[in-house]
Every structure is written in structure tokens, then in C-alpha cells.
Amino acid sequence: KLGRGGIREIEFMVQSLRLPAAGRLPFLQESQTLPVLEKLVQYNLLQADEGAVLEQAYCFLRELEHRLQMEADLQTHTIPNEARARARLGALMGYAGRLEFETALRAHTDRVRQVYDKLLKVDAPLPKRDLPAEFDEGRDEWKKLLANCSFREPDKALRLLEALVHGPGYVHVSARTMELGWELLPRLLGLCPKKDVPVGDRLPSAVLSDPDRVLARLDSYVAAYGARSTLYELWAEKPSLFELLLMLFDRSEFLAEIAIRVPDLLDDLELSGRLRRTKKAEETLKDLRHGLHDQDQRLWIRRYHQAEFMRIGLRDILGWADFEQNLVELTALADACLQYALEVVLRERKRSTAPFVVIGLGKLGGAELTYGSDIDLLFVADNRVKDLASLQELAVKAMDLLSSPTELGVAFPTDARLRPDGSKGLLVNTLKAYEEYYRHRAKLWEIQTLTRNRPIAGNLNLGQRFQEMAATLTNFGRPSLPLAAYTPNWKQEIARMRQRIEKERVPAGKESLAFKTGAGGLVDAEFIAQTLCLAHGWQQPNTLLALEKARSTQAISPADADSLISNYRALRRIEGILRRWSYVGETELPDDPAPLYRVAVRCGFSNAAAFMRTVAEHRSAIRQVYNRVMTTIPAATR
């Protein structure tokens, strides 16, 4: 237990890796060694092969400890020297003889010590932490250091570092502020990937993908903040705030722009404790209602949306919300904003109740909105409504409150083109009209789209009736005829639709980059989920939950379900990281080496080649399952 390669070394490694990260990764705040070891691998703080070595050794050594103590009925951690006692202990451990047991023991402890020496650098000299001399005197040494820290433009970076410490040259900076500025430099440089330090394919989560851009944004942020001395004192008191800002500048371009435009927003979120809170749509709606009397409701919604998006994005960047939780929180924000916008419009028109229900489709319907997602909407009125024309204006106004451009941008782009007859059809129509359309005129892809419906705002009782109608129309296991979109070979039609998407939406020569629409991309998994829902009559608009239902009901084999779910989640995480940066829909990875490298680092890889290999493996696994599943789902139950 206490010797070379023993239990205590494994515990020390786990604790040492956990301590710097557990403050921002609450999933590491676990008291048991094995669960923490699994999380360290999951968050790329430990290589997977090293994690496997430590896990296997820990289980072996703990069992050995138990066997010893059961045998002697004493709290002992020492293996006996006597050969017969060792042979008996080996037999209790399941080995044929003493030598076989001792060989296994030595193999485990040797492998543990190898990892221990690598991670804790036993007997290695401590790294030099001193910075070069003052900028003027040590200019050459500084530039060499910055080049090693992956700055592409060391000269420019050096000028910005000098301004960070001494100020821009036209203002007086106190000696105390300069001292605090010097203390910031090791923390910034410590997050930069080092060219002279060999690494594997995987990186720790807190590594900058673009130090040049981060430093330039840091300079802009300090200038926008204005009170340099106050800011540096805050960072000295709360070092986590400084590192949080650096990671924000590296991980999200659009959130970085918000932070520079509203420089005290980040401090407020961190110091208030709101970053650690999970909020549901009901709580968000309650917050939004505080602005009901604001004169400009469009700007109020955007100010609130901006602050919430920053909070949700930072939780994602820091790992305080896992990816699925991030999608839930982004969707909850959209749900609340949509309900609030409708309330504002009804209040302006002096209406006490909503005359229609707002149905979400696509990612909104599935509660899996990510950064920059449009929200697909249907507006459904009760059959008793006579004056449909008067309702069109209400729907337009509600959408305008969310999607019209302002100096603060838009809250959510809205899209109602999935309604019957597309942009030519009525924006608001009755439930009966929707059913008539879906039964007699809708194409198969429109019925497929209907599998991802969810009432969001307005008359939710009417929304339940819409869901019941949709449940009948989307159950191809027991088709409710007449239904123009239904044919016995409907599954083959869906497969042909998927082929068209792959052919028409993948740019020539970019198949390997098309992680969404290409073969084995996200669309494969989404089509599998929607096809399964149609075949079995499931009402599950969320793709991941539909796939998990397929696993639990054995609608597809457990092995295929496990492979599909894990690889789909990995690709969807990559999509989220891409969208978090640009806030636009991303269907391909960058084809330019420099941005592809930055994406790779943000996804936890040290180089683009390893990243692309992994993406290809995910896609290959998904396509294999797609090919098997789409040929085995029964077309209908008769």
C-alpha cells in the first residue's frame, strides 16, 4: 500500500491532478478514488491508457489488501516474505502459483510507478519559473520565450505584454499596479502550449488554442475596463477570474466581444455566484418579467439574453455544466424568451389569454438548442377561432421581439417556414387545418419533422391536443389512414432523403470535414432517431433520448446503441465547440490548417491530425450502425 507503485501512489496522483481543476469542474469533487479517476480521463486531465493502468492496478491492490486482512484478521498492508504464505495469498487472488502472482504484482506496481514518475516528475529538477529581465533589456530572451509559448507574432505579443504591465504609455501606472501586472504574466504564459514540451495527442482542458488572439483581446478588455489598478487588484484577489477571462477569449469569439463591450458583466457573474446555478425556464421567465415596464422591450430582452448567454457559455467553458445540460439550459432560455415575448404582445393588445399555442420543432422541439440555433415555430389556433387574420399580427410581433436586429444583435433567429405550405401558408392556422394538411398534402419529410414537436408557449392545453394529433400521424407502426405521406416503403424514402442531403449539402472535396451532413455525420444519427420514432410510434423529440429509448427497448442491438450514442455525443460536442466560437451554424470543419488546429485544441487535442483521425472514427462507427439499422427497421406493423 505504501511502497513503490502501491495504493498510496495512485491516490496521490488522483489527488494531485484533481486539486487544480476541481474548483471549476465540480464533477471532480468526489471522495472515492475510482470515480475521480474516471472523470480525470473524461476531462482529458489524464491519458486514457494511463487511467486504465491506474484503475486496473488499484482494483488489484485493493483486492490484495482485503485478502491480506481477511487472512490475518489484522489491519496490515505488507505481503508476507515466506514462500508458502505468498503461494496461499496468490491462490486466494486466483493465480496458479506464487511466481505467477508475483509477476502480476510486479507488473502492476512497475506500471503505476512509471505513470507516477511521469506525472509527478520524481527526481526531476523543478522547472524554471523566473521570467526574463525587463522588456528592453531581455527583448531577445522574451521573444524566444514567446515563440516557445506558441505565439505566432512574438514582437507584437511582447509589445502587448509590456503594455499590460506598464500601461499604454500615455497614462501613469503605479508601482503597485505594475507589480500586479508582472504577476499576471506567468499565469497567462502557463496556459500556452509549449513547443519544447512533448505531449501526446490529448491536451488538458485549460490550454489556449490561440495565444496571440487571447493577448490582443486581453489588451482591449483592460482598455475598455478603464480602472486598471482596480481590475488588477481584483485579479490578484480572485486569480480564477483572470484565468476564466483568458479561457473565454480563447473559446468563444462572440462571448469575448460581449465581455469587451460590457467589461463588468463577467465580474458580476462570477462574484455573484450565478455562474454555479442551474436555471430552468420558469426561473428565467420570472427574471424576464422584472422588465415588463421597460419602454423598449426588444432591448430589454436582448440585454437579459446577453447576460444569460454569457452565464451559460461560461458554465460550458469551465465544465460546470456537461454538454447535455448546456443544451437544456440554452433551450430553457429560448422557451422563457418566447413565452415572455408572447406575454408582452398580449399585454400591448390588452388580451388576457393566448389565442394560440406556439409549437417548437427541430432543435427547439427536441430541447437541444445549441449556440446560434434558429428556433423553428408553428402557431396553432383553436378550431373555434373565426378571425384568423387578426392573429397573424400577434405572431409576427412576438417573432419580431426576438429576431429583429438591434444594436445588441438578436435574441433568437425565428423561422416559421416549416408550417403548412411554407412561407405561402398562413402563419397562424387552426388545429383542424393543420390536421387536414398533414393527412392529405404533407410530404414524408414534413411528417418526419413532426416527430420533433413540443408546445412551448401560449395555450398549452391546445398544445397537448396538437401533440395527440401528431402522435397519431407519426405512428407508422399503426398508420392512421388516410395519410398521403405514408407508403409501405416509407423507410426507403427516408434513406433516399438522407442520400440527397449527403450529396447536395457536402461541398466537393470536403467530405472528411463534413461532420454534420457527410456520411456518418450528425444527420445519420438524427435520421435513425426519427425513423425509429415513426416505426414504433414513440413521442420523443430529443435525439439522444430517442436513441437511449432504442437501447432500453432493444429496438436496435445494445452494441449498436452504445456505439451510436457515444459517437453521436462526441460529434455533437464538437459541433457545440464550433458554434460556441462563431455563434453560427457549422456543418464542416475548417479546411485551413491554422483554424483547424485551433478547433483541435479547443476539443482537447494537441494536433489537427489526431483530431481528424478521431472525428473519422466517430463518423465511421455511426455510418456502420446507420447502414445496419436502416435495413432492419420494420416498415410497418400490420
Side-chain angles (χ1 to χ4, degrees):
K1 182 172 185 176
L2 305 180
R4 180 184 182 280
I7 291 172
R8 191 67 79 224
E9 288 193 356
I10 299 172
E11 293 172 338
F12 268 47
M13 281 185 277
V14 170
Q15 293 160 15
S16 299
L17 291 171
R18 178 175 63 173
L19 278 172
R24 54 187 171 78
L25 297 174
F27 306 100
L28 294 176
Q29 295 169 18
E30 158 73 54
S31 60
Q32 294 186 324
T33 299
L34 285 178
V36 176
L37 191 57
E38 180 182 349
K39 291 294 183 183
L40 290 171
V41 173
Q42 182 179 340
Y43 288 105
N44 300 322
L45 298 173
L46 183 66
Q47 297 281 355
D49 56 344
E50 295 169 347
V53 163
L54 298 183
E55 179 182 1
Q56 292 164 10
Y58 187 81
C59 293
F60 175 93
L61 294 171
R62 277 297 187 197
E63 183 181 2
L64 178 58
E65 179 187 35
H66 295 157
R67 295 295 182 187
L68 275 169
Q69 295 184 358
M70 290 166 66
E71 176 73 6
D73 198 23
L74 294 171
Q75 186 174 0
T76 180
H77 310 116
T78 304
I79 296 172
N81 288 320
E82 201 266 327
R84 182 176 296 178
R86 285 194 171 218
R88 174 173 171 75
L89 183 59
L92 290 172
M93 289 288 291
Y95 291 91
R98 178 175 60 86
L99 291 178
E100 184 179 333
F101 161 65
E102 291 176 346
T103 299
L105 172 64
R106 187 162 51 252
H108 280 299
T109 55
D110 285 348
R111 287 196 293 265
V112 169
R113 175 46 72 110
Q114 287 173 6
V115 179
Y116 184 87
D117 285 346
K118 175 184 174 184
L119 294 180
L120 300 188
K121 296 180 173 57
V122 175
D123 300 326
L126 291 174
K128 181 182 178 182
R129 296 185 180 274
D130 296 334
L131 295 172
E134 268 286 353
F135 298 107
D136 287 336
E137 301 170 13
R139 190 162 296 276
D140 291 339
E141 193 176 353
W142 269 106
K143 287 195 287 187
K144 183 179 178 182
L145 171 64
L146 293 172
N148 184 54
C149 288
S150 301
F151 284 90
R152 300 185 306 278
E153 300 180 76
D155 287 307
K156 181 179 178 181
L158 184 56
R159 290 195 299 272
L160 292 175
L161 287 181
E162 192 169 1
L164 186 67
V165 174
H166 295 302
Y170 51 83
V171 296
H172 172 71
V173 177
S174 70
R176 167 65 177 168
T177 301
M178 284 192 284
E179 178 185 343
L180 293 175
W182 278 107
E183 292 177 4
L184 297 175
L185 302 191
R187 283 191 263 153
L188 167 62
L189 299 177
L191 294 176
C192 299
K194 308 301 186 295
K195 292 183 177 179
D196 63 352
V197 177
V199 294
D201 289 341
R202 291 281 188 169
L203 287 173
S205 56
V207 173
L208 302 180
S209 68
D210 193 345
D212 295 85
R213 194 176 311 213
V214 170
L215 183 54
R217 286 190 170 132
L218 180 62
D219 180 69
S220 298
Y221 181 85
V222 173
Y225 199 93
R228 185 182 299 260
S229 59
T230 302
L231 181 62
Y232 286 14
E233 290 286 358
L234 177 63
W235 286 342
E237 182 182 349
K238 296 279 187 179
S240 60
L241 258 178
F242 180 67
E243 293 186 11
L244 184 155
L245 187 71
L246 298 180
M247 294 307 298
L248 172 68
F249 288 164
D250 190 68
R251 295 309 198 246
S252 178
E253 184 174 48
F254 85 92
L255 288 178
E257 290 171 355
I258 293 174
I260 293 169
R261 190 166 62 243
V262 191
D264 57 348
L265 178 59
L266 193 69
D267 300 348
D268 180 56
L269 285 171
E270 167 66 6
L271 299 177
S272 67
R274 283 184 288 155
L275 275 181
R276 295 184 179 273
R277 289 171 52 199
T278 298
K279 289 174 69 174
K280 295 184 178 180
E282 295 79 10
E283 185 179 357
T284 300
L285 180 59
K286 183 179 178 181
D287 289 345
L288 276 164
R289 286 171 176 159
H290 290 304
L292 262 176
H293 299 288
D294 198 289
Q295 289 187 346
D296 192 329
Q297 286 295 318
R298 291 194 310 159
L299 286 180
W300 160 245
I301 291 172
R302 280 149 187 74
R303 286 197 302 272
Y304 183 84
H305 172 270
Q306 184 174 264
E308 275 300 287
F309 238 80
M310 177 68 79
R311 185 187 69 82
I312 293 169
L314 285 171
R315 283 171 52 77
D316 178 25
I317 290 169
L318 296 172
W320 290 350
D322 64 25
F323 185 61
E324 276 71 39
Q325 178 62 31
N326 178 251
L327 301 182
V328 168
E329 293 189 23
L330 287 170
T331 304
L333 176 59
D335 287 357
C337 285
L338 190 56
Q339 176 64 35
Y340 178 74
L342 182 57
E343 289 178 4
V344 169
V345 173
L346 294 175
R347 188 168 176 263
E348 288 176 354
R349 300 299 188 275
K350 295 182 171 53
R351 284 178 173 263
S352 58
T353 58
F356 50 67
V357 63
V358 185
I359 302 291
L361 298 176
K363 282 185 165 60
L364 178 64
E368 47 193 353
L369 280 187
T370 187
Y371 304 99
S373 293
D374 292 353
I375 55 175
D376 295 305
L377 305 175
L378 299 177
F379 295 88
V380 184
D382 191 270
N383 295 329
R384 294 170 293 181
V385 171
K386 303 299 182 184
D387 185 13
L388 282 173
S390 67
L391 303 188
Q392 314 301 313
E393 183 188 358
L394 295 180
V396 169
K397 181 65 175 176
M399 293 171 66
D400 180 74
L401 278 173
L402 297 180
S403 61
S404 59
T406 70
E407 60 265 39
L408 297 180
V410 303
F412 289 98
T414 57
D415 190 344
R417 291 173 297 175
L418 292 177
R419 66 185 184 270
D421 294 316
S423 56
K424 297 178 181 178
L426 286 175
L427 183 58
V428 185
N429 215 334
T430 64
L431 179 62
K432 182 179 180 181
Y434 273 95
E435 182 167 8
E436 286 291 316
Y437 176 83
Y438 286 128
R439 280 198 178 278
H440 302 293
R441 294 195 289 132
K443 303 280 196 305
L444 177 58
W445 69 264
E446 292 176 285
I447 302 298
Q448 185 178 343
T449 299
L450 203 56
T451 63
R452 306 188 72 193
N453 81 86
R454 183 171 64 93
I456 306 296
N459 185 342
L460 297 183
N461 288 330
L462 180 58
Q464 184 176 354
R465 288 163 56 197
F466 182 91
Q467 281 189 303
E468 291 168 356
M469 175 203 73
T472 300
L473 298 175
T474 57
N475 186 353
F476 282 14
R478 293 182 178 179
S480 175
L481 303 177
L483 187 58
Y486 174 80
T487 61
N489 66 339
W490 63 269
K491 187 181 61 169
Q492 288 75 22
E493 287 296 320
I494 287 179
R496 279 193 285 271
M497 278 193 281
R498 173 67 186 108
Q499 287 175 343
R500 285 199 300 273
I501 291 173
E502 188 177 330
K503 181 179 179 181
E504 296 170 6
R505 297 189 190 176
V506 176
K510 295 189 177 182
E511 163 59 28
S512 64
L513 304 172
F515 71 94
K516 185 170 184 177
T517 55
L522 289 169
V523 176
D524 269 14
E526 292 167 356
F527 267 54
I528 290 174
Q530 292 157 27
T531 304
L532 288 168
C533 286
L534 288 170
H536 298 280
W538 298 338
Q539 298 304 298
Q540 181 47 264
N542 182 281
T543 302
L544 182 60
L545 294 180
L547 297 178
E548 290 178 344
K549 186 176 182 69
R551 176 168 59 188
S552 66
T553 60
Q554 296 189 352
I556 58 178
S557 73
D560 276 351
D562 289 343
S563 174
L564 182 59
I565 289 169
S566 63
N567 287 289
Y568 168 68
R569 292 179 71 189
L571 284 189
R572 194 165 67 168
R573 180 61 178 150
I574 291 170
E575 180 191 34
I577 290 170
L578 280 167
R579 281 174 169 257
R580 186 179 67 200
W581 169 258
S582 61
Y583 195 51
V584 295
E586 302 277 4
T587 59
E588 292 102 35
L589 297 167
D591 56 0
D592 184 84
L596 182 60
Y597 164 78
R598 293 194 288 270
V599 170
V601 172
R602 292 177 198 131
C603 292
F605 292 82
S606 63
N607 60 82
F611 172 61
M612 291 302 295
R613 283 197 303 272
T614 302
V615 171
E617 289 167 2
H618 292 318
R619 291 178 57 187
S620 175
I622 291 174
R623 178 44 66 104
Q624 288 175 36
V625 177
Y626 175 87
N627 288 336
R628 285 194 289 270
V629 170
M630 295 300 282
T631 58
T632 57
I633 297 174
T637 302
R638 291 181 174 82

